[in-house]
Amino acid sequence: MINSVCLCLTFKCDLACRHCFVAASPSRKEEMTIEQITTAIDNSYENVNRMWFSGGEPTVVLDKLLYGLKYASEKKKQYGYPDKICVQTNGNFAKSEQEAIKYLALFYRNGANEIDITSNDIFHFEQMDKIIPEMLANIANNMGVFESVSMGGSDYKVVKRFGRAKSIPEEELNSFDLKYTQKCVFTNTDYVIHPNGDILPCIYGFNNIFGNIYKNNLLNILNERQNIKISSMLINDSIHNILDNKANLFTEDICDSCNNYFSAYRQGGK
């Protein structure tokens, strides 16, 4: 059983948060086509517990989001997978209660049974109304149609110094908990698919690409010899042990070091 597959429909976003690890913004152009969404779901739904529809911000490509939700729900009706179909959103569409209900109803009618609101943090609040996440969560819960409504984001005192967050001045982070800079999030059961179809073993594994979902089935890709070897290394040895005595690969965040190591490893130059 695969715990989750996250489909990043686009890297476009209505916001450009300073801590965003994919550097999403209104100017980003990458997004899946309808045909690519169809192929991505066809090649990844099997034995999947949860399918996330994410970004960037998926609601900026609303027609594609609704298509994906509908198509995934049809797979669930026919095959039993994916069990959970989740919209992961900053919720910035919820400028009013009426707008919130309109969008949530669209998600539900097209197959979503979970909502994950990602914007409950100070970085999002620099660009959006800070009442939105809690208001949207309350409305979603009160509708009584979603199996799960979660409200997350970067904790007020926790930040991972990766991606765009590298540009945040160090003195601004003095009061933050930076323990996540050395925390590996690899699980061996959760995978991320970017708009270009690249399959990542975790949300930060940009250079440790397992394959492309537009070219092959996810289960087949995971069972390729090199991917089995790399997964085994990460599970049994952990990235901290793998990088021991490799000071030249060490960078500020463990994810940078991991990406550097496995990029070289895949090219035969570990």
Side-chain angles (χ1 to χ4, degrees):
M1 170 71 75
I2 295 173
N3 182 54
S4 72
V5 168
C6 179
L7 298 182
C8 298
L9 301 182
T10 181
F11 284 153
K12 184 178 290 187
C13 184
D14 55 323
L15 306 176
C17 298
R18 291 189 296 136
H19 71 309
C20 182
F21 61 87
V22 297
S25 75
S27 64
R28 294 292 294 266
K29 305 298 184 184
E30 306 95 319
E31 63 182 72
M32 292 184 181
T33 65
I34 291 294
E35 292 76 15
Q36 287 171 332
I37 294 170
T38 302
T39 301
I41 293 173
D42 282 342
N43 283 345
S44 68
Y45 78 91
E46 190 177 354
N47 292 324
V48 168
N49 177 45
R50 174 178 286 108
M51 183 167 285
W52 305 86
F53 287 84
S54 187
E57 170 52 40
T59 62
V60 302
V61 288
L62 184 61
D63 289 346
K64 293 177 180 180
L65 169 60
L66 299 180
Y67 172 82
L69 294 174
K70 186 74 172 178
Y71 194 64
S73 68
E74 290 171 358
K75 292 292 185 185
K76 178 180 178 178
K77 290 175 184 177
Q78 187 171 2
Y79 301 106
Y81 301 106
D83 181 39
K84 300 173 176 63
I85 302 172
C86 183
V87 175
Q88 191 171 57
T89 176
N90 62 30
N92 199 35
F93 56 81
K95 307 297 187 185
S96 66
E97 182 176 345
Q98 292 74 20
E99 284 294 295
I101 292 172
K102 180 182 79 172
Y103 274 80
L104 290 169
L106 281 172
F107 301 158
Y108 172 70
R109 289 170 185 161
N110 283 275
N113 55 16
E114 293 187 337
I115 302 293
D116 180 38
I117 304 160
T118 62
S119 53
N120 190 39
D121 60 70
I122 60 175
F123 299 108
H124 280 90
F125 295 163
E126 292 173 346
Q127 300 189 50
M128 61 182 283
D129 193 330
K130 65 181 180 181
I131 72 168
I132 286 177
E134 186 172 356
M135 178 193 74
L136 184 60
N138 287 337
I139 291 172
N141 277 315
N142 290 337
M143 288 175 70
V145 296
F146 297 107
E147 296 176 12
S148 172
V149 178
S150 55
M151 185 170 64
S154 296
D155 183 273
Y156 281 86
K157 294 298 179 183
V158 174
V159 67
K160 188 164 181 63
R161 198 161 169 77
F162 189 75
R164 192 185 279 155
K166 290 180 182 178
S167 65
I168 300 174
E170 290 186 17
E171 57 270 20
E172 186 178 341
L173 298 174
N174 286 340
S175 62
F176 283 72
D177 185 349
L178 297 179
K179 65 185 178 184
Y180 283 94
T181 64
Q182 297 302 309
K183 181 178 176 61
C184 178
V185 298
F186 177 75
T187 65
N188 203 32
T189 59
D190 299 278
Y191 300 92
V192 177
I193 299 173
H194 279 183
N196 66 358
D198 283 348
I199 301 165
L200 279 56
C202 69
I203 59 175
Y204 303 118
F206 298 105
N207 295 334
N208 190 5
I209 298 168
F210 274 41
N212 192 284
I213 200 66
Y214 304 143
K215 298 178 180 179
N216 203 347
N217 178 281
L218 177 61
L219 294 177
N220 291 338
I221 291 171
L222 296 181
N223 283 319
E224 291 175 1
R225 180 177 300 178
Q226 189 178 60
N227 291 332
I228 291 174
K229 174 65 174 176
I230 288 174
S231 296
S232 177
M233 291 168 66
L234 285 168
I235 288 295
N236 296 325
D237 300 326
S238 88
I239 190 60
H240 298 90
N241 292 333
I242 292 170
L243 295 174
D244 189 33
N245 298 321
K246 295 181 175 64
N248 61 309
L249 289 172
F250 181 78
T251 53
E252 194 167 23
D253 195 291
I254 194 69
C255 296
D256 279 327
S257 300
C258 183
N259 277 309
N260 291 339
Y261 179 83
F262 281 110
S263 177
Y265 182 90
R266 287 185 179 279
Q267 296 174 41
K270 57 174 183 165

